[in-house]
Amino acid sequence: MMVVFSGLDAKMKGKKGVAGEIVENLNQWSKKSKKSFIGKAISSSWSDSKNLREAIEFIRANYTIGSNDKLIIYGFS
């Protein structure tokens, strides 16, 4: 499971920008590799409380503590 934060380019209105591209590329790779993957792209500031809440809710809904699942949180601007 992966949560990706990135800044949103003004030209990318309504899209998830680079974060969305990363998640989509990983999703396509996982299908080709027959691996399980779930990801969430959040395009805006990681320090924005709305975006942090969205990420936490996604993790809580999809991650089981103690499982063999890997959780990666990746952010860049």
Side-chain angles (χ1 to χ4, degrees):
M1 175 176 20
M2 183 171 214
V3 177
V4 181
F5 289 92
S6 74
L8 183 61
D9 185 329
K11 298 178 284 189
M12 302 294 293
K13 290 182 181 174
K15 298 183 181 178
K16 291 290 185 181
V18 175
E21 290 178 18
I22 290 170
V23 171
E24 182 55 33
N25 287 340
L26 287 168
N27 192 36
Q28 289 176 12
W29 170 84
S30 70
K31 287 178 182 176
K32 289 178 187 174
S33 303
K34 296 184 176 36
K35 306 263 184 196
S36 176
F37 172 77
I38 185 167
K40 177 86 173 166
I42 299 175
S43 295
S44 189
S45 171
W46 65 268
S47 61
D48 180 30
S49 62
K50 175 187 170 280
N51 292 329
L52 287 175
R53 264 192 313 277
E54 183 179 351
I56 290 167
E57 288 171 8
F58 175 77
I59 293 166
R60 284 184 176 153
N62 295 286
Y63 183 73
T64 302
I65 295 174
S67 69
N68 287 328
D69 293 341
K70 304 289 187 261
L71 171 61
I72 300 169
I73 299 174
Y74 180 75
F76 62 97
S77 61

